Amino acid sequence: MIPPTEWPIGRTGHIAIVGRPNTGKSTFLNTVLGCHLAPVSAKPQTTRRRLLGIWSQPGLQGLFLDTPGLFEGDTELDRAMEQGIRRSLEDADVVLCLADPLRESGAEDRRVAGFLRDAAKPVLVGINKSDLATPAQVAAASAWWAETLPDAPRFVFSAVERKTLDVVLDALAKRLPEGPFLYDPETLTDAFERDIGADLIRETVLEELRDEVPHAVAVEIEAWKEDDAANRRVVRAVLHVERPGQKAILIGHGGEMIKVLTNRSREKLETLCGMKVKLDLYVRVTADWRRKRDALKTFGLAGARRGG
Ligand SMILES: Nc1nc2c(ncn2[C@@H]2O[C@H](COP(=O)(O)OP(=O)(O)OP(=O)(O)O)[C@@H](O)[C@H]2O)c(=O)[nH]1
Ligand SMILES: [Mg+2]
């Protein structure tokens, strides 16, 4: 820990990462920080709450805010996610809007652009996934954003390849104001370890289950404590689902699925915590939790929370 009086002065500010679902926002954050902090999956709507990632360099502290993908939904959860995006845009000194050239730009990107116009913050557009996209796809995405947000410079890169990110990172850094660092330069986030753990368990659910089921799952950590004698972390988490049928799918035939979820999640938690983890997962039905504000608060998906 470096004491606050010794934190350097330099360019310091918030960078909101926004875009429609699945454009690579969380992947970008993880690559910049060099660690698996934010949940990532091939399914849309992976991120549900904003996450602060602190990128400290000599003379520079970029406070990245990873946000949920913007889409139009009708549940309390969808509204809470949208609120998280708006709050992040309010807090931002500069915005990185990520686009996915593999999918045609359309209504969702138009909505993102509307949010950005309302926020009236400096915007850079990142055309991501350049390792997968054809030159024609990159050109089409670039042309669409040039027409939609003519003042926003565009950058092409791949969020899975760190070396391609330097140009956009430089451009973001230049747009941050001068000031004292806001966080200890040795820390990567202000999120609680148990919240990151909950998100990694949910990431595992997204990886292992198909269709709509993973979207009906919320992870609540009931216990997260040290077992000093055994030098390990003891974690008990509940997977809340909305209906009994989903509970049966999560448990699986003869308990096969819950075993897979427990083993894969445990590996991730052990990497996160740097120690052995004893993990117990339970499945509980909390009917229609995505429509209930109280449930969202209990699960840390709405209301006051850390994150920049
Ligand atoms: N090949 C390749 N895959 C990428 C790249 N960026 C992201 N991905 C993949 O795209 C998928 C979505 O990535 P995420 O980082 O979860 O996307 P997101 O924008 O945070 O998604 P939401 O949280 O749902 O809004 C994952 O399968 C990533 O591995 C990239 O530059 N190249
Ligand atoms: Mg994400």
Side-chain angles (χ1 to χ4, degrees), residues 8-15 59-63 91-95 121-122 171-182:
I9 292 182
R11 289 193 179 276
T12 307
H14 288 88
I15 304 160
L60 168 70
Q61 189 165 66
L63 306 170
D91 292 344
D93 295 288
V94 55
V95 181
K121 297 287 171 78
L172 290 166
K174 276 198 197 103
R175 286 162 174 83
L176 296 178
E178 290 277 343
F181 279 22
L182 297 178

Side-chain angles (χ1 to χ4, degrees), residues 96-118:
L96 175 64
C97 168
L98 285 196
D100 178 354
L102 304 179
R103 291 174 290 156
E104 240 175 77
S105 305
E108 279 183 346
D109 282 313
R110 263 195 296 281
R111 190 139 183 271
V112 172
F115 268 52
L116 294 175
R117 281 191 210 99
D118 290 348

Side-chain angles (χ1 to χ4, degrees), residues 39-41 43-49 77 81 196-208 214-219 239 261 265 268 289 301:
V40 164
S41 89
K43 296 195 179 66
Q45 295 153 46
T46 298
T47 302
R48 281 178 172 164
R49 49 190 175 192
L77 174 62
M81 287 178 11
I196 300 168
D199 282 350
L200 294 180
I201 295 171
R202 198 173 144 269
E203 180 189 76
T204 309
V205 172
L206 281 157
E207 286 164 352
E208 298 299 330
H215 295 300
V217 175
V219 179
L239 306 178
L261 294 173
S265 300
K268 293 181 190 183
W289 67 262
L301 297 173

Side-chain angles (χ1 to χ4, degrees), residues 24-27 38-40 46-47 66-69:
K25 299 177 289 299
S26 304
T27 304
V40 164
T46 298
T47 302
D66 182 21
T67 68

Side-chain angles (χ1 to χ4, degrees), residues 231-305:
N231 190 27
R232 64 178 182 177
R233 183 73 42 89
V234 178
V235 179
R236 193 173 63 243
V238 181
L239 306 178
H240 293 269
V241 292
E242 294 191 311
R243 292 194 302 275
Q246 293 160 345
K247 178 173 176 173
I249 292 171
L250 252 70
I251 292 171
H253 190 65
E256 274 304 305
M257 181 50 78
I258 197 74
K259 239 182 267 167
V260 169
L261 294 173
T262 305
N263 289 337
R264 298 264 153 83
S265 300
R266 188 194 310 109
E267 287 167 17
K268 293 181 190 183
L269 297 188
E270 288 182 342
T271 305
L272 173 71
C273 302
M275 64 169 74
K276 286 276 165 211
V277 169
K278 178 179 185 300
L279 175 64
D280 287 313
L281 292 181
Y282 300 88
V283 186
R284 196 176 294 160
V285 177
T286 303
D288 285 332
W289 67 262
R290 279 183 285 184
R291 298 189 176 277
K292 293 178 178 158
R293 189 86 187 159
D294 284 354
L296 297 184
K297 283 189 183 159
T298 306
F299 305 158
L301 297 173
R305 186 182 181 260

Side-chain angles (χ1 to χ4, degrees), residues 18 94-99 112-113 116-117 120-127 141-156 168 171-172 175:
V18 302
V94 55
V95 181
L96 175 64
C97 168
L98 285 196
V112 172
L116 294 175
R117 281 191 210 99
K121 297 287 171 78
V123 178
L124 307 188
V125 172
I127 314 288
S142 194
W144 193 91
W145 283 99
E147 192 174 322
T148 307
L149 293 179
D151 295 336
R154 293 170 309 284
F155 298 82
V156 179
V168 72
L172 290 166
R175 286 162 174 83

